[in-house]
Amino acid sequence: MESFTPLTAALGGSLIGLATAVLWLGNGRIAGISGIFGQLLPPAQTVVWRLVFLVALVLATFVTAKLFPGLGVGGVEPARLVEAPASWGVPTPVWLGIAGLLTGLGTKIGNGCTSGHGVCGLARLSVRSLVAVAVFFGVAIITVAVTGVV
Amino acid sequence: MASLKLPYLATAALSGALFGAGLYVSQMVDPLKVLHFLDFTAIPSGGWDPSLAFVMVPAVIVMFIAVRLGKRRQAPLFDTAFHEPEYKRIDKRLVGGAALFGIGWGMAGICPGPAISLIAFVPDNLWIFLVTMLIGSLAGSLVIPSGHSKRLVDAQ
């Protein structure tokens, strides 16, 4: 299969694991992006490091994309990537808005996302995270099947 | 405060940078790639793209080693304690929250890391997702009891 990219996936996954390891051993913090993002607004007392982390994340994505064009987005025009997912005749902006709302709400209530529960939680052998990962993966798979966004 | 010192912030920057590079290299930043991974209906036709399963495994292994190394120490290098979540219960909130997130992820193929990472490409509609994700997060904090929230906040 042309689109099957296990090597770059594993390399990228190793970098993500390294990222979470650095934050854990350096600062004792879990690199869960939903948590880092969700507490950006004051009065959170730890806004500064969260901002530094997120700005570095965006800059590194930009630089890596410049160094290795086409690698990360499969040759698809990045600006079009966020246009694509829509289904049931719902306009893309509305579809994305609902998706964003559910993502923010769900990760806040469930206290984590793919990185916090998926990488850090599983590595900490947290049963809570294992349950969360099973649920959000399962529901996402069902959602794709039901909505037919692909 | 430890979180405002240079080594602490430099560590946050290094971690964020590795994370961004990892999201790009793994192609997690590509919502279509993610949706093709989540599309199990394509398995019978051979059109399923299982690549992203290969992201999680090494990431968890590397972090697992780090957690083991951390257990040998009293504290991380630049802070006084490891901020480990104290809350252990598996409750309706965990399952319900994960389910809502699963719907959002399956609709757009964007989870919070790539949502931030994609800013690098300035895609047309990304701001909508980012703003509503923040609104959803704020709305979520309103429905979580404050005692519960406080115990979790320190862990994040």
Side-chain angles (χ1 to χ4, degrees):
Chain A
M1 198 190 314
E2 203 176 299
S3 57
F4 185 48
T5 53
L7 289 179
T8 48
L11 178 61
S14 307
L15 288 170
I16 292 169
L18 208 55
T20 61
V22 163
L23 199 64
W24 181 249
L25 292 175
N27 299 353
R29 290 282 173 181
I30 286 171
I33 310 289
S34 57
I36 292 173
F37 176 77
Q39 286 172 61
L40 269 186
L41 297 179
Q45 53 178 345
T46 50
V47 169
V48 177
W49 78 259
R50 293 169 200 275
L51 264 180
V52 167
F53 177 95
L54 294 174
V55 169
L57 188 151
V58 175
L59 286 177
T61 307
F62 182 81
V63 171
T64 321
K66 286 288 170 203
L67 292 176
F68 307 101
L71 173 68
V73 289
V76 180
E77 181 67 35
R80 278 187 49 244
L81 291 174
V82 186
E83 287 287 345
S87 183
W88 294 344
V90 180
T92 302
V94 176
W95 190 264
L96 277 176
I98 296 168
L101 203 63
L102 291 173
T103 299
L105 186 65
T107 52
K108 179 56 119 183
I109 295 174
N111 198 46
C113 59
T114 347
S115 49
H117 280 310
V119 179
C120 300
L122 293 185
R124 289 173 38 248
L125 306 179
S126 155
V127 182
R128 250 174 78 80
S129 290
L130 181 64
V131 171
V133 170
V135 171
F136 67 63
F137 257 107
V139 172
I141 287 163
I142 293 167
T143 303
V144 170
V146 171
T147 59
V149 287
V150 178
Chain B
M1 203 158 95
S3 66
L4 287 176
K5 288 185 177 152
L6 189 61
Y8 192 97
L9 293 178
T11 304
L14 176 63
S15 174
L18 288 166
F19 212 113
L23 286 171
Y24 180 82
V25 171
S26 66
Q27 301 191 39
M28 282 290 296
V29 288
D30 182 344
L32 294 180
K33 180 95 176 168
V34 174
L35 291 174
H36 280 291
F37 169 60
L38 294 173
D39 184 19
F40 278 32
T41 63
I43 293 176
S45 66
W48 180 50
D49 181 358
S51 308
L52 297 185
F54 292 78
V55 179
M56 192 73 107
V57 176
V60 171
I61 291 172
V62 172
M63 183 57 180
F64 178 80
I65 295 167
V67 171
R68 292 275 121 192
L69 289 174
K71 286 203 191 296
R72 296 184 186 181
R73 301 178 53 94
Q74 292 281 71
L77 291 173
F78 307 121
D79 202 347
T80 50
F82 288 103
H83 302 267
E84 192 155 14
E86 290 173 28
Y87 197 75
K88 306 281 184 205
R89 284 223 335 253
I90 294 160
D91 51 18
K92 280 184 281 187
R93 213 170 273 125
L94 177 82
V95 175
L100 290 177
F101 167 48
I103 298 172
W105 194 27
M107 284 176 71
I110 305 172
C111 55
I116 311 287
S117 191
L118 273 164
I119 294 173
F121 305 107
V122 205
D124 290 343
N125 291 322
L126 181 69
W127 66 271
I128 298 169
F129 190 93
L130 287 171
V131 169
T132 54
M133 185 166 86
L134 194 56
I135 292 171
S137 185
L138 290 173
S141 56
L142 295 178
V143 303
I144 299 174
S146 60
H148 179 80
S149 181
K150 192 174 174 298
R151 267 183 297 173
L152 293 174
V153 159
D154 195 46
Q156 285 180 340

